[in-house]
Amino acid sequence: QVQLVESGGGLVQAGGSLRLSCAASGLTFRINAMGWYRQAPGKQRELVAITSRGGSTNYTDSVKGRFTISRDNAKTTVSLEMNSLKPEDTAVYYCYGRDTYAPRDYWGQGTQVTVSS
């Protein structure tokens, strides 16, 4: 199996920056795409950013130009650099991994990001 463990997050003022990281362990060769989702109170979980094993990236419109997703060469760690944070970015952020060989998704435990106004 695959385990995803997030680090980073916390409390920051509007306009500030945070960096989230996620380390995969276990059968990491199974992971294709990796990315980040978030879920704010009372809202559905939404995709924030995702990167394929080949390096292509996709962002939700609300974070374009502010957030940057990156992945290490070993393809086992994915990071999310978040700049110009806004109160509406406040949410629990979840690391995500997609299995290459089976219809299976992997999730981290989530890390809280709180942006104060």
Side-chain angles (χ1 to χ4, degrees), residues 40-111:
K43 295 188 177 181
Q44 289 188 328
R45 190 173 297 189
E46 66 169 350
L47 174 67
V48 176
I50 195 164
T51 179
S52 71
R53 181 169 282 271
S56 63
T57 59
N58 192 32
Y59 298 88
T60 191
D61 286 345
S62 63
V63 307
K64 287 180 179 177
R66 299 188 298 123
F67 291 11
T68 303
I69 190 170
S70 60
R71 195 168 175 179
D72 70 328
N73 289 335
K75 311 299 182 185
T76 59
T77 300
V78 64
S79 298
L80 186 68
E81 186 72 32
M82 304 184 293
N83 298 315
S84 302
L85 283 161
K86 304 175 181 180
E88 51 263 44
D89 294 317
T90 295
V92 177
Y93 284 69
Y94 296 91
C95 181
Y96 164 82
R98 183 182 304 154
D99 195 293
T100 303
Y101 305 104
R104 181 183 302 154
D105 298 329
Y106 303 102
W107 296 95
Q109 78 282 3
T111 185

